[in-house]
Amino acid sequence: MKDIFKIGSYTFNSRLLVGTGKYKNFQETKEAIISSGADVVTVAIRRTNIGQKNNEENLLDIINPDSWTILPNTAGCYTVDDAIRTCNLARELLDGHNLVKLEVLDGGDNLLPEMDKTLKAARHLIEDNFEVMVYCNDDPSLCLELDEMGCVAVMPLASPIGSGQGITNPDNIVKIIENSSKPIIIDAGIGCPSDACFAMELGCDGVLMNTAIAESTNPILMANAMKLAVESGRNSYLAGRMKVREKANPSSPISGISSK
């Protein structure tokens, strides 16, 4: 049976979502995205031109919305009004596209979500018929609140954005997954393919990353490695791992065999 990845009204084949920042140029961005096999490409509207600046190179000339689902995000927003305004700008530039990634930051060095503002912005956007994927802390109670208010995907951080620390609190991630009726997508902190694989083995529905690919020595190769890691972790989760035992257990039976 086909393993369907559904977010809101959208259906995807790949469970790896990728960003577009920090690459040397748009051409490298495109090559890495192709290598990743991702269907969803997230774009920081406040930092990347997708048509709002006529005199600058347009990312959509390289990343065609007919080939990828563009996921506008509100990176760089620190207030509810800025986040809402950015989402509306994205909807206008993308001809009514309603799927957005919401993030409202606290202004600190770790770029952590400001959750009170995130909750307020999410409610407003949902009421305005946006399909909201939301970046948030790895707090099970807050994640459940975002789920129940109608966000189409909940995206807890693994660790601070761009840190490459991997999943620092796997117990919380598991609790979030167990409580959720919506896709849980790890967002921020992934550093290498084993981090992505681990996230999927925990039961996450997907992984979003940017820096781990863009800042690697070979982004094209790393993008492909991340693709394989996400696929492997998902297959491992679906297959079900063996039981962990306190003692050794022989692979071949030893009963009836003489020790002499």
Side-chain angles (χ1 to χ4, degrees):
M1 186 171 66
K2 189 173 182 179
D3 182 29
I4 302 298
F5 183 33
K6 186 173 176 60
I7 301 176
S9 62
Y10 294 77
T11 301
F12 305 108
N13 293 313
S14 173
R15 292 174 179 270
L16 174 60
L17 299 77
V18 295
T20 55
K22 301 186 177 181
Y23 290 97
K24 290 186 297 186
N25 50 52
F26 279 173
Q27 186 57 40
E28 184 181 70
T29 304
K30 182 176 182 177
E31 290 177 12
I33 290 170
I34 291 172
S35 184
S36 76
D39 297 319
V40 179
V41 179
T42 187
V43 178
I45 300 301
R46 292 169 68 90
R47 298 170 181 163
T48 306
N49 182 33
I50 62 168
Q52 66 269 46
K53 299 175 182 178
N54 293 329
N55 59 338
E56 292 185 11
E57 189 177 14
N58 188 336
L59 179 67
L60 300 187
D61 291 337
I62 302 296
I63 308 301
N64 190 328
D66 292 334
S67 300
W68 288 278
T69 296
I70 304 300
L71 178 62
N73 70 61
T74 61
C77 290
Y78 299 93
T79 69
V80 173
D81 287 345
D82 279 350
I84 293 170
R85 189 179 303 112
T86 300
C87 288
N88 277 294
L89 173 61
R91 181 155 64 181
E92 180 180 342
L93 291 170
L94 295 170
D95 300 322
H97 180 83
N98 282 343
L99 184 68
V100 296
K101 177 193 165 191
L102 171 66
E103 49 185 277
V104 186
L105 304 178
D106 66 3
D109 291 341
N110 284 325
L111 304 176
L112 297 174
E114 208 298 327
M115 290 310 301
D116 285 342
K117 294 176 183 178
T118 298
L119 289 162
K120 290 176 183 176
R123 288 192 188 95
H124 181 98
L125 291 169
I126 291 167
E127 289 173 359
D128 197 19
N129 296 316
F130 282 94
E131 295 190 62
V132 179
M133 302 171 64
V134 58
Y135 169 62
C136 58
N137 288 329
D138 61 343
D139 181 312
S141 296
L142 289 174
C143 287
L144 181 59
E145 185 172 354
L146 290 165
D147 179 327
E148 291 179 339
M149 77 165 59
C151 293
V152 297
V154 178
M155 308 177 74
L157 53 80
S159 50
I161 292 174
S163 69
Q165 295 176 14
I167 299 177
T168 56
N169 197 343
D171 290 342
N172 270 17
I173 299 300
V174 170
K175 289 175 184 174
I176 291 167
I177 293 167
E178 290 174 345
N179 291 338
S180 181
S181 64
K182 306 290 174 54
I184 300 299
I185 300 171
I186 284 292
D187 183 9
I190 295 298
C192 60
S194 58
D195 294 337
C197 186
F198 181 45
M200 299 304 294
E201 287 183 321
L202 289 176
C204 292
D205 296 280
V207 178
L208 187 149
M209 67 182 72
N210 185 180
T211 305
I213 297 175
E215 288 193 353
S216 65
T217 304
N218 186 332
I220 315 305
L221 185 59
M222 182 60 77
N224 185 253
M226 291 297 188
K227 170 188 175 181
L228 298 175
V230 168
E231 291 174 353
S232 179
R234 178 63 177 176
N235 286 340
S236 174
Y237 172 74
L238 294 175
R241 65 157 295 149
M242 63 168 283
K243 179 182 178 182
V244 177
R245 302 182 177 93
E246 294 182 0
K247 298 181 179 180
N249 187 51
S251 299
S252 302
I254 59 173
S255 59
I257 300 175
S258 172
S259 61
K260 296 181 180 180

